[in-house]
Amino acid sequence: MNALRLPRPRPALCGAAAWLALVLGALSGCAVDPKSGSSATRPPGFEQATLALPFDVRDSGVFDDPIWYDGRAEVARYAAVRSIYGVDRDYTATLYTNAQRMDPATSTKSSGAKGMEAFKHHRSERIPTENYDYDFSTAVFLERDGLRPFKQTFASQEDCGASFKQLWRDGRDLRWFESTYFPGGGVGEQRLPGCDLPFSVDALPFVLRGLPADLAPGTRFDLGLIDTWRDARTDPLEVHSFALEVGSTTRVEVPAGSFECRELIVTERNSGAQRRYHFAIDASPPVLGVLVSYDGPNSESLRLASLERDAYWERG
């Protein structure tokens, strides 16, 4: 299995500097083989990315709006396509996003009003195929202050088996757990002393909606990200090098309506694979710069079909 490369601990920073130190600093740090349980420092001479964003991702006001504390969640449903076993499948993807309190000691939602303020961004997918449905759950949890990553989980269930993966901060350490049923998988876990958690591709549909609207088209940034975990197989836990480019402003027609959007293009440097996001420019509630459309690898696409705020967990 390939190595997980994560950043060394750094002094506390705020705003864009903290966000960037976590994201771009992820190209250096610990090198770990989770299956064997061994750990080591980064290879000698490995260059550390040290860019500085000229903005704060919270400047748009998206993440500070009081509506996140109305006792409900943002529920965005998408007409989605994804290829499974070489066939493009049509289905509905639902992205739930809400603010909540979390208990850092257990990495779970707090039972009361105490704990760390965080955003939970959960992608729920049920994809029909010829013989049975595939169920995928992908969630990222970020501290409200600076959007610092705290935890990421993935779970899948299908008639052939179930898989689960989790990566989370535990004090000054990073912990990892995996149980996958595919050949070559199995169960593994690891505690990585003195390592921090970088951002992942799975956080981008939430994090990138807060980039300021006044960034000029063609503006580019380098990112070091964990690739998506949305696969029931064992994934190499490693950081990849990406380029983020600000695209043009355009009107996008989707089932939910017509939205003035800004395009953001994320390209993986090694493979050249691109992910194209269109985020609504409207940063006021209830839109809050929501992801309107997406096109990416594996024939994936998302088109916003509905957007509402709902306490979906309530019964009756």
Side-chain angles (χ1 to χ4, degrees), residues 43-54:
F46 191 84
E47 295 283 332
Q48 177 179 329
T50 53
L51 297 178
L53 288 173

Side-chain angles (χ1 to χ4, degrees), residues 18-36:
W19 189 86
L20 191 65
L22 288 168
V23 178
L24 303 180
L27 291 173
S28 67
C30 299
V32 179
D33 182 345
K35 294 294 185 184
S36 69

Side-chain angles (χ1 to χ4, degrees), residues 199-239:
F199 282 85
S200 77
V201 168
D202 295 315
L204 297 183
F206 179 62
V207 173
L208 293 185
R209 64 195 283 180
L211 267 66
D214 59 357
L215 290 176
T219 304
R220 294 173 62 90
F221 305 96
D222 293 326
L223 302 176
L225 306 171
I226 295 175
D227 210 345
T228 180
W229 273 19
R230 293 171 49 245
D231 194 301
R233 297 171 176 80
T234 291
D235 283 319
L237 296 178
E238 60 185 10
V239 170

Side-chain angles (χ1 to χ4, degrees), residues 5-119:
R5 297 185 178 92
L6 296 171
R8 294 176 182 274
R10 289 178 171 77
L13 299 172
C14 62
W19 189 86
L20 191 65
L22 288 168
V23 178
L24 303 180
L27 291 173
S28 67
C30 299
V32 179
D33 182 345
K35 294 294 185 184
S36 69
S38 63
S39 63
T41 57
R42 60 182 175 88
F46 191 84
E47 295 283 332
Q48 177 179 329
T50 53
L51 297 178
L53 288 173
F55 56 81
D56 189 324
V57 294
R58 298 173 299 175
D59 281 348
S60 66
V62 164
F63 307 118
D64 295 325
D65 198 283
I67 199 172
W68 292 114
Y69 300 94
D70 66 357
R72 294 177 287 177
E74 178 188 87
V75 182
R77 292 185 173 87
Y78 295 84
V81 177
R82 178 177 174 178
S83 177
I84 294 183
Y85 291 115
V87 178
D88 290 350
R89 319 284 180 167
D90 296 312
Y91 67 101
T92 298
T94 306
L95 274 62
Y96 301 94
T97 308
N98 62 278
Q100 64 183 38
R101 295 277 183 173
M102 297 192 69
D103 182 351
T106 63
S107 84
T108 65
K109 183 177 180 179
S110 295
S111 58
K114 296 182 179 180
M116 176 184 70
E117 290 189 54
F119 285 109

Side-chain angles (χ1 to χ4, degrees), residues 4-310:
L4 168 63
R5 297 185 178 92
L6 296 171
R8 294 176 182 274
R10 289 178 171 77
L13 299 172
C14 62
W19 189 86
L20 191 65
L22 288 168
V23 178
L24 303 180
L27 291 173
S28 67
C30 299
V32 179
D33 182 345
K35 294 294 185 184
S36 69
S38 63
S39 63
T41 57
R42 60 182 175 88
F46 191 84
E47 295 283 332
Q48 177 179 329
T50 53
L51 297 178
L53 288 173
F55 56 81
D56 189 324
V57 294
R58 298 173 299 175
D59 281 348
S60 66
V62 164
F63 307 118
D64 295 325
D65 198 283
I67 199 172
W68 292 114
Y69 300 94
D70 66 357
R72 294 177 287 177
E74 178 188 87
V75 182
R77 292 185 173 87
Y78 295 84
V81 177
R82 178 177 174 178
S83 177
I84 294 183
Y85 291 115
V87 178
D88 290 350
R89 319 284 180 167
D90 296 312
Y91 67 101
T92 298
T94 306
L95 274 62
Y96 301 94
T97 308
N98 62 278
Q100 64 183 38
R101 295 277 183 173
M102 297 192 69
D103 182 351
T106 63
S107 84
T108 65
K109 183 177 180 179
S110 295
S111 58
K114 296 182 179 180
M116 176 184 70
E117 290 189 54
F119 285 109
K120 178 180 74 174
H121 182 65
H122 176 215
R123 181 168 179 163
S124 177
E125 301 169 284
R126 173 164 290 174
I127 307 177
T129 70
E130 295 82 0
N131 296 330
Y132 49 81
D133 294 346
Y134 283 71
D135 289 307
F136 297 119
S137 168
T138 311
V140 293
F141 301 80
L142 305 108
E143 291 185 21
R144 183 179 181 272
D145 184 15
L147 301 182
R148 183 186 181 197
F150 175 67
K151 182 171 76 169
Q152 176 159 340
T153 65
F154 169 82
S156 72
Q157 183 169 338
E158 54 186 274
D159 286 1
C160 287
S163 295
F164 179 75
K165 311 169 193 176
Q166 180 163 303
L167 194 62
W168 74 105
R169 294 199 337 257
D170 185 1
R172 293 180 60 84
D173 299 341
L174 182 62
R175 296 183 64 184
W176 167 91
F177 174 83
E178 177 182 85
S179 175
T180 59
Y181 79 89
F182 272 87
V187 176
E189 59 181 320
Q190 179 71 43
R191 180 186 289 271
L192 314 176
C195 287
D196 215 330
L197 175 60
F199 282 85
S200 77
V201 168
D202 295 315
L204 297 183
F206 179 62
V207 173
L208 293 185
R209 64 195 283 180
L211 267 66
D214 59 357
L215 290 176
T219 304
R220 294 173 62 90
F221 305 96
D222 293 326
L223 302 176
L225 306 171
I226 295 175
D227 210 345
T228 180
W229 273 19
R230 293 171 49 245
D231 194 301
R233 297 171 176 80
T234 291
D235 283 319
L237 296 178
E238 60 185 10
V239 170
H240 296 256
S241 178
F242 292 84
L244 166 64
E245 180 178 353
V246 178
S248 59
T249 298
T250 185
R251 181 159 290 277
V252 177
E253 305 285 340
V254 292
S258 178
F259 295 83
E260 194 73 14
C261 294
R262 178 179 53 176
E263 184 179 41
L264 298 177
I265 306 160
V266 177
T267 305
E268 185 178 5
R269 293 192 181 279
N270 286 341
S271 68
Q274 285 193 335
R275 293 171 167 87
R276 292 179 175 266
Y277 304 82
H278 282 95
F279 290 93
I281 290 177
D282 183 0
S284 63
V287 177
L288 293 171
V290 72
L291 177 68
V292 173
S293 74
Y294 166 80
D295 293 281
N298 199 31
S299 300
E300 276 199 83
S301 68
L302 297 172
R303 299 293 183 267
L304 184 65
S306 66
L307 180 67
E308 60 182 336
R309 298 196 62 77
D310 184 28

